[in-house]
């Protein structure tokens, strides 16, 4: 039961932490909104509060066209500024943005100017893109100085500075000490600076977490030599920009965290690496809200109770996942995995690791885009599907198709279905995992339709409406229940 005076205070605060927790209907307009909507704040006597969008619609309120309450938080048009700022941070973390060209590229993706981009980042994050970039470089430099024995000049270049002089000036200005002093102080407080080839970090999550279910999902789709899944861990090779290495992830339930072991070769792109792992393991999910919502449905309630903390596994590499989705069209998961392994063997590059099950890097879009249909078809992939894979690789390599968390899902789905051989099922499955869209719904999925009573795709779409905005999780519950 929502206490209206508390909900009204939460609404007037515009605190994003309340987004998706409740909805407000305005009696004077007949419209319901999210608590973060930027419209003029209504009077208390004109407000009615609901726990779900469905309850508001049942009370005859219409959805606001600005904040789009029927969509999952983060995916409405009003969220574009937040999405742009998030993408800017992600690009900086991956080392793909610089003072000039990177800003122009990101701005063009959203159809805005670089000046508008700078203003959005300033408004959303409180700093300019250049200040954001500088902070990221300095934080990485501090980590390298305290956790490794790299020479200071190597630390400077690995952090993204173009010269040792610029690095020393920026470091001294920010931290009021030269880099060498920080290293000496770190060495004095810690017995030895880690000289091993790997380090371990923790990534927290909101409990509960269905670790066994997540591992089972990834194990069934594991690409041999690129990924290696055991009974208690997930490992894979990594390429981010020019940096390669490997990671291994284990569960620490007593800490409500995942333990990430990573090679020091990936330290320069550590923020991007951790971001990808958060997406892959769906660590930002709110299992309490999702379970409370889906548990009301008779079809899903048993699965929700049986699998607390179920997650929607994301994608470590959007292109890799999209290829896997195309290969999985109209065949079993096992058959698709077999073909995906052949594909990685043919197009992936060799990498040496101490883990016997890891020896290949995931194929690059540029290499696949340059292949012929015959090059792909000889792996046992039909010609039409081979052409689809090459078309996807070309679109991704050219930058016209963005497949990463934070991208606009509706725009990405529209671009995906324009490619040959990609329909709504494939596009929504990619949106569910690579784009991290919690409301994606592959209504053509035969397992989902059978679970709903052998209905048509159109009927499945209509029957899924009460599950919004968490339909991706509903689909995973259905698949898990099978």
């Amino acid at each position: 039961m929502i206490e209206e005076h508390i909900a009204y205070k939460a609404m007037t605060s515009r605190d994003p932490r309340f987004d998706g927790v409740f909805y407000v209907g305005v009696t004077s307009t007949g419209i319901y909104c999210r608590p973060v909507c930027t419209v003029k704040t209504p009077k208390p006597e004109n407000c009615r509060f609901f726990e779900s969008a469905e309850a508001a619609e049942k009370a005859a309120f219409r959805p606001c066209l600005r904040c789009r309450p029927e969509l999952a938080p983060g995916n409405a048009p009003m969220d574009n500024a937040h999405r742009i700022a998030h993408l800017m941070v992600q690009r900086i973390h991956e080392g793909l943005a610089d003072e000039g060209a990177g800003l122009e590229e990101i701005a063009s993706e959203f159809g805005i100017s670089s000046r508008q981009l700078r203003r959005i980042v300033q408004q959303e994050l409180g700093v300019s893109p250049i200040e954001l970039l500088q902070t990221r470089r300095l934080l990485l430099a501090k980590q390298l100085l305290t956790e490794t024995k790299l020479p200071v000049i190597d630390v400077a270049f690995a952090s993204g500075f173009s010269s040792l002089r610029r690095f020393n000036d920026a470091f001294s200005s920010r931290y009021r000490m030269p880099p060498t002093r920080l290293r000496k102080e770190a060495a004095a407080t810690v017995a030895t600076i880690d000289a091993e080839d790997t380090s371990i970090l923790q990534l927290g999550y909101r409990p509960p977490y269905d670790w066994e279910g997540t591992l089972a999902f990834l194990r069934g789709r594991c690409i041999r030599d690129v990924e290696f899944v055991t009974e208690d861990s997930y490992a894979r090779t990594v390429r981010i920009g020019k940096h390669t290495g490997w990671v291994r992830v284990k569960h620490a339930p007593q800490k409500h965290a995942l333990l990430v072991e990573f090679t020091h070769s990936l330290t320069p792109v550590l923020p991007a690496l951790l971001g990808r792992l958060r997406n892959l393991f769906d660590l930002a999910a709110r299992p309490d809200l999702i379970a409370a919502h889906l548990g009301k449905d008779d079809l899903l309630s048993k699965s929700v109770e049986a699998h607390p903390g179920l997650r929607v596994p994301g994608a470590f590499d959007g292109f890799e996942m999209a290829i896997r989705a195309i290969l999985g069209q109209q065949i079993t998961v096992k058959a698709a995995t077999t073909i995906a392994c052949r594909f990685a063997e043919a197009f992936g590059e060799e990498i040496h690791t101490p883990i016997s099950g890891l020896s290949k890097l995931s194929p690059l879009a540029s290499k696949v885009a340059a292949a012929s249909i015959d090059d792909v078809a000889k792996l046992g992939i039909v010609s039409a599907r081979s052409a689809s894979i090459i078309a996807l690789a070309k679109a991704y390599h050219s930058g016209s198709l963005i497949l990463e968390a934070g991208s606009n899902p509706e725009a990405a789905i529209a671009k995906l279905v324009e490619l040959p051989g990609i329909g709504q099922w494939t596009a929504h499955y990619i949106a569910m995992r690579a784009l991290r869209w919690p409301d994606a719904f592959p209504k053509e999925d035969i397992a989902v339709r059978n679970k709903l009573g052998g209905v048509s795709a159109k009927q499945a779409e209509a029957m899924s409406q009460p599950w919004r905005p968490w339909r991706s999780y509903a689909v995973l519950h259905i698949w898990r229940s099978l």
Side-chain angles (χ1 to χ4, degrees), residues 346-365:
F347 291 98
E349 296 176 18
E350 295 284 343
I351 184 174
H352 298 289
T353 77
I355 301 175
S356 59
L358 296 180
S359 59
K360 286 277 187 180
L361 291 167
S362 187
L364 288 171

Side-chain angles (χ1 to χ4, degrees), residues 20 29 40 81 98 125 164 176 220 242 280 282 292 302 321 339 343 351-352 373 384 412 419 482:
T29 62
K40 183 180 179 181
D98 55 30
L125 304 176
L164 182 60
R176 308 294 184 188
K242 298 178 181 179
L280 176 62
D282 195 13
K302 288 184 178 179
M321 192 266 132
I339 298 174
F343 188 86
I351 184 174
H352 298 289
I373 292 179
L419 298 174
L482 299 177

Side-chain angles (χ1 to χ4, degrees), residues 1 47 51 104 135 156 230 286 296 362 406 466:
M1 186 70 179
C47 294
E51 293 183 350
E104 294 289 349
T135 297
T230 67
R286 285 290 304 271
K296 300 174 184 177
S362 187

Side-chain angles (χ1 to χ4, degrees), residues 7 50 56 86 112 141 149 162 238 275 307 321 326 367 376 415 433:
F50 304 91
H86 173 79
I112 61 177
K149 292 185 176 180
S162 58
V238 176
H307 308 297
M321 192 266 132
I326 294 174
K367 187 172 183 179
V376 179
K415 290 183 178 180
R433 296 192 58 198

Side-chain angles (χ1 to χ4, degrees), residues 18 26 35 55 76 78 96 108 112 128 151 167 180 197 223 228 234 285 297 312 322 361 363 393 400 435 462 471:
F18 294 109
V26 183
M78 67 168 284
L96 300 178
S108 65
I112 61 177
S128 70
F167 169 62
T180 50
D197 292 330
I223 301 175
F228 185 63
Y234 170 87
D297 189 274
V312 176
L361 291 167
S400 63
L435 306 185
R471 291 189 295 178

Side-chain angles (χ1 to χ4, degrees), residues 225-383:
D225 297 333
V226 174
E227 301 173 293
F228 185 63
V229 185
T230 67
E231 289 301 315
D232 65 351
S233 69
Y234 170 87
R236 68 164 294 132
T237 60
V238 176
R239 170 165 34 204
I240 300 179
K242 298 178 181 179
H243 304 278
T244 59
W246 58 268
V247 295
R248 178 161 42 199
V249 182
K250 294 185 177 182
H251 191 206
Q254 69 281 5
K255 297 181 179 179
H256 296 155
L258 301 186
L259 302 180
V260 179
E261 182 182 7
F262 64 95
T263 56
H264 286 169
S265 59
L266 298 171
T267 301
V269 288
L270 186 58
L273 172 67
L274 298 181
R276 291 191 182 198
L277 291 173
R278 287 189 182 95
N279 290 332
L280 176 62
F281 290 98
D282 195 13
L283 299 185
R286 285 290 304 271
D288 53 340
L289 295 180
I290 297 168
H293 184 73
L294 298 181
K296 300 174 184 177
D297 189 274
D298 292 339
L299 186 70
L300 303 175
S301 58
K302 288 184 178 179
S303 179
V304 172
E305 184 178 355
H307 308 297
L310 178 142
R311 297 306 205 265
V312 176
F316 185 85
D317 181 316
F319 175 69
E320 172 188 285
M321 192 266 132
I323 294 294
R324 179 67 178 73
I326 294 174
L327 294 175
Q329 292 173 342
Q330 300 177 334
I331 60 175
T332 65
V333 171
K334 185 176 181 179
T337 300
T338 300
I339 298 174
C341 292
R342 286 188 215 145
F343 188 86
E345 176 67 27
F347 291 98
E349 296 176 18
E350 295 284 343
I351 184 174
H352 298 289
T353 77
I355 301 175
S356 59
L358 296 180
S359 59
K360 286 277 187 180
L361 291 167
S362 187
L364 288 171
S366 56
K367 187 172 183 179
V368 179
S372 67
I373 292 179
D374 289 341
D375 291 334
V376 179
K378 68 182 180 182
L379 301 175
I381 304 170
V382 297
S383 296

Side-chain angles (χ1 to χ4, degrees), residues 90-111:
Q90 191 172 31
R91 290 296 176 84
I92 286 175
H93 284 170
E94 293 191 12
L96 300 178
D98 55 30
E99 288 88 341
L103 298 183
E104 294 289 349
E105 179 184 343
I106 296 173
S108 65
E109 289 180 18
F110 287 92

